[in-house]
């Protein structure tokens, strides 16, 4: 059992979850993830680690509410417990001095990319953060990211920020004027895919954190297999970070939708059980 | 791999001889002449009806009734030279426990079993007895039909558990030594049971949220009910074994951390790793599972009770399971139970080369599982949603024997044909779990990612670190893992006793 220290809504549909897990907190490295099971009947799902405090012994993730598991997580309160919280899993992100590193994040990836940006900055890189939000009110952790970035851009579809475009167009503009040595792109599959497509013709190495469906997360079941350079890899032990130019994106898109109908059925069932009509 | 032609260790020989010469055993032998014993027919274990049981997950076998167990025990000739003991990977004193059954001392029989085997109710269900103890049974040589050793083992263990009088052996005085067991599967649980009885302080670290390893995520309920496993784990807890769940050694804590926490010896029993795939086109289509994933969803995550439980699983109408082992049988029978109209084993060799237990194959056939021998898929086809809809197969014939001694399947030219399937389960084995090797660079690992050991003690190249089960063998069986574990436990006890 792991205790919830804090669960709060950062922006609509995106929540922060801080969990007491001293052993995990001691070992966390940027780019890793945990497996969490919201209750005894829940699924085991992976969450990127967005921050940790090894002294306090807590680990923080940011998640988007999509299905039953994340719905369950989104109503936890401090003091509640989850039966499974295991990690840190996966290989850590490669942190080195590359020169200029652009960290592109969106959705839960804004939180997930933060520790990578922080570590890249600490390793002596110039860090440019490029954050994608659909609208201005969906931006979170601006201060945290600014504090570890030399430059900070937001792409958003409303008129609030300078760039009214989806992230790839903005990324295209940035790479025109600045020499980028490495791009780190964390977030939804589509965001990572489009960022990789922008940098592919330019030959800028682009690292993405893949998010296939997982089960055990420790290299036993093979649910999370992805094709990298036409070879099957297991995201939980070979990744989750991979070279975005080598990923078979179409396969990942379709495999992520494997249980689309079941997920809807599951959520309807849960809502019926938990929010009965009065 | 270990030498299979090993001689019986002298201590075991001596203890078998001592048991054989006990007065009550002599009496019992005299009570019924060998000739009469040989006339008794092998007692059948009652089973659920195939066309009913293939729709639910209740256990297939009911276990022997008392009267049948007594009769079956009489069939054992109590040989002076019991070959069956040599056939058992953990060296159970088989005549002793069977004769205790014959004498009606069922609980004593269970205790006898537990002297060498911490998990008898599990072994009685999942061991391939027909190729081990029962294969070399002297009665089989004489009459063609061996004593039902496995069924009797199960009977004794179940009787003790159901009697509510589970005997908790007194542990030896505390040695002050701490042992860390990594992985709560069959190997880890066995080492834990052995070492805690010797007075060591034992903690088991498990990555998943339930103890049991493959016994809980892999073997389905209809073959090994969860409550049996829970009872065995409970027994270990009562012996004093501590369990730490949701800890991935190598990730959450390292071996080094455990060492500095004061652990004196370690057993790595992390078991199966990355499942093998065939690397043929279309293998990552939706609806194609590794057996590990498929069985984990159904057994551990209880997808069978979806949507009450959140984890889903595909319930195919036409299921093909690739492979010929126990895992393949389990998968095919599970698919059938989840509603498949066709559930088929597709195996590249023929019936005789199948490594599955004879009973599982028999049960599968009874339940309506189809068998396509000498067949192998070469690619898959998907629909517009990337779900598998068919696979192209090739017929094989058997050629010369390969390194495993089995005849190598050779493709027959132009024999391609299409099989329509909407669920494929790949059950062609797995390698050893990669995590410990990845995160403990000092540990010597072979080319398949398996941890290298000295087969006499199961010691790895790191001092005080031992290993056994699938982590050293790749995909093997529960009983081989337990056999390794017993050797490791002896090695570890010796190491701990010599350590100041």
């Amino acid at each position: 059992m792991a205790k919830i220290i804090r669960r709060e809504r950062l922006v609509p549909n995106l929540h922060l979850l801080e969990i007491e897990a001293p052993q995990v907190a001691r070992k966390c490295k940027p780019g890793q993830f945990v497996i969490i099971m919201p209750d005894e009947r829940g699924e085991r799902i992976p969450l990127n680690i967005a921050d940790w405090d090894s002294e306090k012994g807590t680990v923080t993730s940011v998640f988007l509410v999509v299905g039953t598991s994340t719905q369950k997580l989104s109503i936890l309160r401090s003091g509640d417990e989850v039966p499974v919280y295991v990690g840190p899993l996966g290989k850590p992100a490669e942190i080195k001095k590359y020169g200029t590193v652009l960290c592109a994040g969106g959705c839960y990836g804004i939180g997930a990319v933060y520790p990578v940006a922080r570590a890249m900055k600490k390793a002596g890189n110039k860090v440019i953060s490029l954050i994608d939000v659909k609208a201005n009110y969906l931006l979170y952790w601006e201060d945290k990211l600014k504090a570890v970035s030399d430059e900070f851009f937001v792409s958003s579809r409303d008129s609030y920020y300078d760039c009214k475009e989806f992230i790839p167009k903005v990324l295209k503009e940035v790479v025109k004027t600045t020499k980028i040595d490495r791009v780190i792109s964390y977030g939804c599959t589509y965001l990572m895919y489009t960022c990789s497509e922008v940098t592919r013709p330019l030959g800028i190495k682009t690292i993405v954190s893949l998010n296939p469906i997982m089960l055990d997360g420790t290299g036993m079941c093979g649910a999370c297999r992805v094709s990298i350079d036409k070879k099957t890899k297991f995201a939980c032990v070979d990744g989750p970070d991979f070279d975005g130019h080598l990923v078979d994106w179409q396969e990942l898109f379709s495999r992520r939708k494997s249980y689309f109908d079941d997920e809807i059925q599951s959520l309807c069932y849960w809502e019926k059980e938990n929010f009965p009509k009065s | 791999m270990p030498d299979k032609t090993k001689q019986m260790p002298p201590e075991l020989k001596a203890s078998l001889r001592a048991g054989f010469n006990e007065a009550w055993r002599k009496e019992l032998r005299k009570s019924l002449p060998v000739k009469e014993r040989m006339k008794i027919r092998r007692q059948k274990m009652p089973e659920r009806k195939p066309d009913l049981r293939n729709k639910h997950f209740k256990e297939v076998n009911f276990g022997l009734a008392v009267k049948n167990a007594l009769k079956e025990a009489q069939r054992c000739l109590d040989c002076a030279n019991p070959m069956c003991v040599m056939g058992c990977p953990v060296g159970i004193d088989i005549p002793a426990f069977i004769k205790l059954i014959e004498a009606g001392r069922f609980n004593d029989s269970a205790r006898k079993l537990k002297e060498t085997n911490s998990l008898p109710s599990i072994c009685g269900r999942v061991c391939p007895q027909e190729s081990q103890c029962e294969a070399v049974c002297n009665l089989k040589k004489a009459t063609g039909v061996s004593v039902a050793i496995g069924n009797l083992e199960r009977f004794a263990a179940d009787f003790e558990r159901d009697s509510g009088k589970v005997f908790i052996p007194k542990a030896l005085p505390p040695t002050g030594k701490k042992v860390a067991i990594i992985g709560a599967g069959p190997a880890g649980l066995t080492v834990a049971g052995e070492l805690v009885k010797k007075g060591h302080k034992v903690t088991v670290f498990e990555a998943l949220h339930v103890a049991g390893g493959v016994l809980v995520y892999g073997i389905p309920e209809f073959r090994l009910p969860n409550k049996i496993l829970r009872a065995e784990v409970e027994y270990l807890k009562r012996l004093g074994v501590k369990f730490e769940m949701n800890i991935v050694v190598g990730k959450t804590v390292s071996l080094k951390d455990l060492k500095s926490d004061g652990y004196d010896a370690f057993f790595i029993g992390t078991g199966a790793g990355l499942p093998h795939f065939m690397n043929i086109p279309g293998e990552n289509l939706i609806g194609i599972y590794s057996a590990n994933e498929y069985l984990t969803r159904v057994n551990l995550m209880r997808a069978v009770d979806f949507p009450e439980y959140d984890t889903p699983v595909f319930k195919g109408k036409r299921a093909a399971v690739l492979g010929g082992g126990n895992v393949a049988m389990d998968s095919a029978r599970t698919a059938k139970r989840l509603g498949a109209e066709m559930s088929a084993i597709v195996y590249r060799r023929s019936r005789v080369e199948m490594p599955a237990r004879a009973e599982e194959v028999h049960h599968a056939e009874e339940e309506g599982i189809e068998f396509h021998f000498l067949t192998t898929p070469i690619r898959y086809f998907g629909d517009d949603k990337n779900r598998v809809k068919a696979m192209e197969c090739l017929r094989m014939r058997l050629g010369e024997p390969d390194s495993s001694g089995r005849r190598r399947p050779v493709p027959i030219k132009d024999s391609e044909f299409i099989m329509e399937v909407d669920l494929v389960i790949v059950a062609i084995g797995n390698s050893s779990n990669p995590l410990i090797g990845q995160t403990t660079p000092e540990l010597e690992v072979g080319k398949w990612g398996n941890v290298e050991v000295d087969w006499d003690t199961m010691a790895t190249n790191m001092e005080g670190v031992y290993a056994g089960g699938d982590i050293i063998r790749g995909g093997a069986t529960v009983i081989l893992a337990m056999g390794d574990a017993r050797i490791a436990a002896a090695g570890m006890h010796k190491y701990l006793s010599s350590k100041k």
Side-chain angles (χ1 to χ4, degrees):
Chain A
M1 287 291 196
K3 202 165 88 186
I4 314 298
I5 299 300
R6 181 160 65 110
R7 198 275 314 149
E8 65 183 40
R9 197 183 75 167
L10 292 168
V11 294
N13 245 14
L14 279 159
H15 294 249
L16 172 150
L17 188 66
E18 185 180 2
I19 291 216
E20 185 178 75
Q23 286 170 309
V24 184
R26 264 203 298 276
K27 293 281 173 180
C28 281
K29 297 235 168 67
Q32 290 187 298
F33 66 92
V34 292
I35 290 268
I36 188 168
M37 194 164 131
D39 61 28
E40 299 293 345
R41 294 184 168 205
E43 275 189 283
R44 293 170 65 95
I45 59 161
L47 293 182
N48 282 82
I49 294 168
D51 206 354
W52 61 90
D53 185 332
S54 50
E55 266 167 38
K56 207 168 133 199
T58 66
V59 180
T60 300
S61 291
V62 176
F63 64 91
L64 177 76
V65 180
V66 271
T68 311
S69 303
T70 41
Q71 191 69 253
K72 284 177 173 178
L73 291 179
S74 73
I75 54 170
L76 290 172
R77 294 162 198 227
S78 43
D80 287 349
E81 289 185 328
V82 288
V84 173
Y85 192 78
V86 52
L89 298 168
K91 287 184 176 163
E94 271 177 48
I95 306 291
K96 264 199 286 203
K97 188 170 177 189
Y98 298 102
T100 304
V101 175
L102 186 143
C103 295
C107 185
Y108 69 88
I110 302 172
V113 85
Y114 165 71
V116 181
R118 182 174 60 188
M120 286 293 187
K121 177 77 190 162
K122 209 175 158 199
N125 293 288
K126 180 181 173 189
V127 173
I128 302 176
S129 289
L130 172 52
I131 299 308
D132 184 76
V133 289
K134 276 211 173 70
N136 70 301
Y137 60 85
L138 294 173
L139 181 63
Y140 64 92
W141 283 20
E142 188 177 356
D143 296 347
K144 281 180 87 149
L145 271 158
K146 273 186 174 162
V148 296
S149 309
D150 297 277
E151 289 178 48
F152 183 80
F153 298 97
V154 178
S155 62
S156 128
R157 246 65 84 239
D158 59 7
S159 327
Y160 197 85
Y161 293 97
D162 303 337
C163 336
K164 284 183 275 181
E165 297 287 355
F166 186 43
I167 196 164
K169 286 210 174 154
V170 184
L171 180 57
K172 233 179 227 169
E173 291 307 311
V174 175
V175 293
K176 260 186 208 161
T177 55
T178 318
K179 186 186 166 289
I180 306 287
D181 299 289
R182 180 169 278 235
V183 172
I184 311 287
S185 177
Y186 280 20
C188 74
T189 316
Y190 189 68
L191 180 142
M192 295 191 286
Y193 161 67
T194 45
C195 285
S196 300
E197 290 312 306
V198 168
T199 55
R200 187 195 298 274
L202 304 167
I204 303 170
K205 179 103 161 174
T206 299
I207 302 298
V208 293
S209 175
L210 297 191
N211 47 9
I213 294 169
M214 289 188 186
L215 204 54
D216 72 299
T218 64
M220 179 273 283
C221 81
C224 64
R225 58 195 199 272
V226 287
S227 292
I228 308 296
D229 202 12
K230 301 200 169 60
K231 284 195 204 73
T232 295
K233 296 275 175 191
F234 299 90
C236 71
V237 286
D238 298 324
D241 279 13
F242 292 102
D243 182 336
H245 299 151
L246 302 178
V247 174
D248 181 340
W249 291 101
Q250 296 313 316
E251 181 186 284
L252 181 63
F253 281 125
S254 79
R255 283 185 67 83
R256 277 177 51 81
K257 285 194 198 122
S258 296
Y259 298 101
F260 197 75
D261 299 340
D262 293 316
E263 282 164 10
I264 293 169
Q265 190 195 346
S266 169
L267 191 56
C268 291
Y269 178 88
W270 182 82
E271 283 179 350
K272 217 167 106 189
E273 295 280 298
N274 289 275
F275 309 130
K277 283 194 187 118
S278 50
Chain B
M1 288 287 144
D3 183 10
K4 276 182 187 154
T5 57
K6 241 188 223 165
Q7 292 295 308
M8 190 180 282
E11 318 85 77
L12 179 57
K13 209 169 194 168
S15 87
L16 287 177
R17 177 56 55 172
F20 181 79
N21 286 331
E22 278 173 28
W24 70 271
R25 288 269 286 272
K26 282 185 184 165
E27 283 296 308
L28 207 57
R29 279 197 295 274
K30 268 191 233 153
S31 70
L32 193 66
V34 169
K35 247 189 183 165
E36 293 302 312
R37 292 179 186 273
M38 282 169 58
K39 275 188 203 153
I40 305 170
R41 295 261 287 273
R42 180 168 161 136
Q43 300 296 299
K44 232 177 119 51
M45 181 146 63
E47 301 166 354
R48 287 176 204 277
K49 287 209 170 67
D51 53 335
L52 295 177
R53 72 176 187 242
N54 67 8
K55 293 172 187 68
H56 58 64
F57 282 78
K58 287 182 190 145
E59 194 178 15
V60 169
N61 297 321
F62 291 104
L64 290 174
V66 169
K67 134 181 137 212
N68 302 82
L70 286 168
K71 210 149 208 168
E72 184 63 36
Q74 286 184 337
R75 293 183 70 230
C76 170
L77 306 179
D78 199 5
C79 313
N81 185 16
M83 295 306 293
C84 51
V85 181
M86 278 304 285
C88 174
V90 300
I92 292 175
D93 185 346
I94 292 169
F97 97 78
I98 294 185
K99 290 302 121 181
L100 285 166
I101 294 179
E102 188 182 337
R105 294 159 58 188
F106 306 142
N107 281 341
D108 290 340
S109 176
R111 282 164 210 177
K112 189 78 201 168
L113 277 163
K114 283 187 179 167
E115 282 175 16
T116 37
N117 180 352
S118 305
L119 313 163
S121 63
I122 291 170
C123 290
R125 286 172 166 83
V126 304
C127 270
Q129 291 97 3
E130 75 275 0
S131 57
Q132 295 173 347
C133 52
E134 294 182 16
V136 291
C137 171
N138 288 331
L139 184 69
K140 188 180 179 184
K141 277 178 213 148
T143 67
V145 186
S146 72
V147 176
I149 301 171
N151 294 353
L152 287 172
E153 179 181 27
R154 169 186 163 146
F155 168 80
D158 284 359
F159 188 93
E160 191 204 26
R161 190 189 57 253
D162 294 343
S163 75
K165 289 183 198 140
V166 174
F167 174 68
I168 303 295
K170 250 208 165 115
L172 295 173
T175 59
K177 296 287 190 326
K178 274 170 79 178
V179 179
I181 312 274
I182 302 154
L189 295 179
T190 302
V191 176
E194 295 293 317
L195 292 181
V196 79
K197 283 189 275 188
K198 298 273 199 302
H200 305 299
K201 221 173 147 195
V202 179
T203 307
V204 181
F205 296 90
E206 168 57 44
L208 292 175
H209 52 286
V210 186
V214 72
L215 303 171
V216 60
Y217 73 72
I219 299 180
E221 282 251 28
F222 57 82
R223 212 143 74 74
L224 176 66
N226 266 335
K227 67 165 203 230
I228 307 273
L229 179 66
R230 275 200 303 271
E232 298 286 8
V233 172
E234 202 46 48
Y235 168 71
L236 292 176
K237 284 184 183 162
R238 284 172 65 190
L239 286 176
V241 176
K242 291 252 171 336
F243 286 85
E244 295 252 15
M245 311 306 287
N246 301 311
I247 298 211
V248 182
V249 175
K251 288 285 184 187
T252 316
V253 290
S254 64
L255 274 185
K256 223 172 168 181
D257 297 333
L258 292 176
K259 215 165 233 176
S260 48
D261 281 352
Y263 285 94
D264 302 285
F266 305 85
F267 177 79
I268 303 173
T270 48
L274 306 176
H276 290 162
F277 286 93
M278 294 179 66
N279 297 316
I280 55 177
E283 208 159 31
N284 289 346
L285 286 169
I286 301 169
I288 303 178
Y289 286 111
S290 76
N292 278 0
E293 180 186 356
Y294 184 70
L295 294 172
T296 301
R297 283 183 179 274
V298 178
N299 300 331
L300 177 73
M301 304 309 293
R302 308 214 18 205
V304 54
D305 295 322
F306 180 85
E308 273 166 62
Y309 283 71
D310 298 348
T311 306
V313 72
F314 292 125
K315 298 182 172 110
K317 287 284 161 223
R318 296 179 56 83
V321 179
L322 316 181
N326 289 320
V327 177
M329 299 304 141
D330 288 345
S331 304
R333 295 169 72 193
T334 298
K336 187 88 195 170
R337 281 163 171 74
L338 291 177
E341 284 152 17
M342 179 204 79
S343 179
I345 294 280
V346 175
Y347 183 49
R348 62 192 182 130
R349 291 182 159 107
S350 73
R351 175 181 297 265
V352 287
E353 288 87 11
M354 278 202 302
R357 287 176 86 211
E359 189 187 23
E360 307 314 326
V361 178
H362 171 66
H363 281 161
E365 280 182 320
E366 283 185 338
E367 289 167 14
I369 306 301
E370 290 175 24
F371 287 79
H372 297 265
F373 295 112
L374 294 164
T375 305
T376 196
I378 49 174
R379 63 174 154 155
Y380 300 99
F381 302 100
D383 64 10
D384 55 347
K385 284 184 175 153
N386 281 323
R387 291 179 185 270
V388 66
K389 63 170 185 186
M391 64 181 191
E392 185 172 355
C393 298
L394 206 56
R395 297 275 185 213
M396 314 291 269
R397 64 181 174 78
L398 290 179
E400 296 300 309
D402 64 9
S403 58
S404 74
R406 295 181 299 179
R407 292 177 65 191
R408 188 195 302 274
V410 186
I412 299 173
K413 229 182 140 203
D414 299 329
S415 65
E416 290 89 347
F417 69 99
I418 303 282
M419 190 186 275
E420 274 180 40
V421 289
D422 59 0
L423 172 65
V424 177
I425 299 155
V426 184
I428 57 170
N430 49 260
S431 48
S432 306
N433 196 291
L435 278 184
I436 285 269
Q438 268 182 13
T439 52
T440 317
E442 314 87 287
L443 193 66
E444 214 174 285
V445 172
K447 66 174 169 173
W448 305 111
N450 54 305
V451 172
E452 299 272 9
V453 292
D454 164 3
W455 289 90
D456 290 330
T457 58
M458 298 291 153
T460 68
N461 66 312
M462 290 173 71
E463 197 198 317
V465 181
Y466 295 71
D470 277 5
I471 190 69
I472 64 171
R473 293 173 181 272
T477 63
V478 168
I479 190 67
L480 285 174
M482 292 173 58
D484 294 347
R486 275 188 57 80
I487 298 170
M492 292 170 80
H493 180 58
K494 205 165 158 195
Y495 169 77
L496 289 166
S497 310
S498 69
K499 207 179 156 196
K500 287 284 156 277

